[in-house]
Amino acid sequence: WIRAGNQQIAWGEALFFRVADQPNGLDLRGHLLGVAAEEYSDTRRSALGLRANYRVNEKTDVDGFVQRFAPSLLPNGETAYSVIQDQFTVNQRPGYEDVKNKWNVGFRLKGEAGGFGYQAFAINRTNPDGVFKWTAAEGAGTLPGTAFAIQPTGVWSAEEWFRGAANSRLNGIEGVATSMNFITAAGDPYGLVGLATVCGAERAVYGDFKIGSKAAASCILDTFFSPQVAGPLRGWLSREYKRETVFGGGVNRVFEGEPDSLLDQLIGRFEFSYTPNKHFTNPTLGDYIEKDEYQFAFIMEKYHKFTSAFPATYFVAQWLHKSRSDLFGRYLGGVGNTPGESPKGQSGGFNAVALALQQPSPTLEYRFDFAILTDLKGGWYMQPGVKWKPTKSIQADLYLNAVYSQNKGEYRDFVDGLQHNNEIFARVSYQF
């Protein structure tokens, strides 16, 4: 079969992580944390493309697509869901114009052999999430040679700067240095090179600074933010989209045990993907970091009938791992980020365990959901919810997103700094 037009392509089965679910970007403008049990179906962004599937035999088929690039849509700035500090402007158009007419391509082989299901895939794509770095500021009040402009909506103090950097998993000390890397010998009317030298920063050549200490960074920032020199500063960032190739696959098996036991008809899955030379946002907001990244998910799922009074309960247990970034794609070198210090980083990758449950009511009019994930470092994400379906055409959903950090202010876990995303949300749908 062949399908053409705007479409979503979902290849993965993991909750929370997009291990094999790589073809499409996400639309996160509604909310940052969607319904976990829906595996991003409510936020996955459709894109124009052509998809074809060929069944080789009863157990094997080949799937492939060609799809136009469509970037992930981030929450709007200066809203409760924004992932970018409000004191910064993101210039997205130049990076998007370079790739808006690019096309992604992918292939997947899926089949069964020896009692196991398997899949293998390869995708060459422009990463829809993008990466960020400093860019020269534009407009009125621009400080020549820097990524800043004097505006009352900007950062007002060194303390605010360091706190915002830690919250964003950025290096608040060396981020000062890279923000001044646009200075040239003929473009320093504010004397920032001399200021940085006086404050103790190192400079090999114009446009190559190294701060080295909180004292030097604070000295530069306090001078920046003083009314006699500049005052509040708004930063400028650029977002670019880099080409990458993703390889991956998976296996699954249905286990058999004693009838009606927990092991009977238990489904085990393993998904993995590997991206060589993946681009990450540098915690200094300087030149991008390129590292190989792999991620995988071990998944156990089952329908089990605990009592004859209720339909079977569906549950999923997972172990999730990413080698270079956290659940939200932030580079692990920016984790462990006490305001005013350089981040300590996180070794051993990002690991999380998750559990999800679904229990229908006896009449199937209601379905009760619960999902929970922890990174085992003090970060928790919990999502209870209920679905009500009074007729075949109408459905109403009510969910709670709750995040909790045991290390508040230390930014060592994946949710610290995202507490403003605690929410209750409702959705009503009509099918016709």
Side-chain angles (χ1 to χ4, degrees), residues 53-322:
N53 182 282
Y54 177 72
R55 172 153 291 197
V56 179
N57 53 48
E58 291 185 359
K59 295 185 177 182
T60 308
D61 59 83
V62 179
D63 196 3
F65 70 88
V66 177
Q67 193 174 60
R68 187 182 182 188
F69 167 73
S72 293
L73 300 176
L74 300 180
N76 292 325
E78 301 184 3
T79 68
Y81 301 115
S82 178
V83 293
I84 306 293
Q85 295 289 313
D86 292 344
Q87 300 90 338
F88 295 86
T89 297
V90 181
N91 190 352
Q92 303 198 52
R93 184 165 296 277
Y96 172 70
E97 292 291 341
D98 292 339
V99 297
K100 68 178 182 180
N101 292 317
K102 299 291 185 181
W103 293 79
N104 301 333
V105 60
F107 300 94
R108 178 177 68 157
L109 175 68
K110 185 177 181 181
E112 296 180 21
F116 290 85
Y118 67 87
Q119 66 171 335
F121 65 85
I123 302 172
N124 183 261
R125 67 172 189 168
T126 299
N127 189 326
D129 300 331
V131 283
F132 299 85
K133 67 186 300 185
W134 290 120
T135 189
E138 302 174 358
T142 299
L143 267 65
T146 73
F148 299 105
I150 305 169
Q151 291 187 9
T153 57
V155 180
W156 283 75
S157 67
E159 179 184 358
E160 182 182 359
W161 169 278
F162 287 129
R163 187 173 62 252
N167 190 1
S168 301
R169 308 305 192 268
L170 300 175
N171 189 324
I173 294 176
E174 296 307 329
V176 178
T178 53
S179 72
M180 298 166 57
N181 278 349
F182 305 96
I183 295 174
T184 65
D188 188 19
Y190 281 82
L192 298 177
V193 172
L195 170 63
T197 303
V198 169
C199 287
E202 300 176 9
R203 177 179 58 84
V205 294
Y206 282 100
D208 185 9
F209 288 90
K210 182 173 179 59
I211 301 298
S213 70
K214 178 183 179 181
S218 297
C219 173
I220 297 171
L221 291 170
D222 289 339
T223 305
F224 269 177
F225 298 135
S226 66
Q228 294 78 13
V229 177
L233 299 178
R234 188 171 185 86
W236 256 254
L237 303 174
S238 65
R239 184 186 185 190
E240 298 181 10
Y241 306 90
K242 298 298 184 179
R243 199 79 184 174
E244 64 186 22
T245 301
V246 184
F247 304 97
V251 295
N252 64 79
R253 182 178 177 85
V254 179
F255 296 95
E256 296 182 1
E258 292 293 328
D260 298 325
S261 68
L262 283 174
L263 294 180
D264 187 39
Q265 300 302 304
L266 178 69
I267 302 173
R269 301 185 190 275
F270 173 70
E271 293 181 6
F272 73 93
S273 64
Y274 167 69
T275 308
N277 299 317
K278 185 180 180 70
H279 289 78
F280 297 95
T281 297
N282 195 320
T284 70
L285 289 175
D287 293 334
Y288 304 125
I289 292 174
E290 290 186 49
K291 296 283 188 180
D292 296 351
E293 180 174 56
Y294 63 86
Q295 56 180 333
F296 60 75
F298 282 104
I299 309 164
M300 305 297 286
E301 59 182 280
K302 186 183 188 308
Y303 282 95
H304 187 74
K305 197 172 182 67
F306 289 96
T307 172
S308 59
F310 283 85
T313 303
Y314 175 67
F315 62 87
V316 183
Q318 295 187 159
W319 171 34
L320 309 165
H321 175 83
K322 296 178 76 174

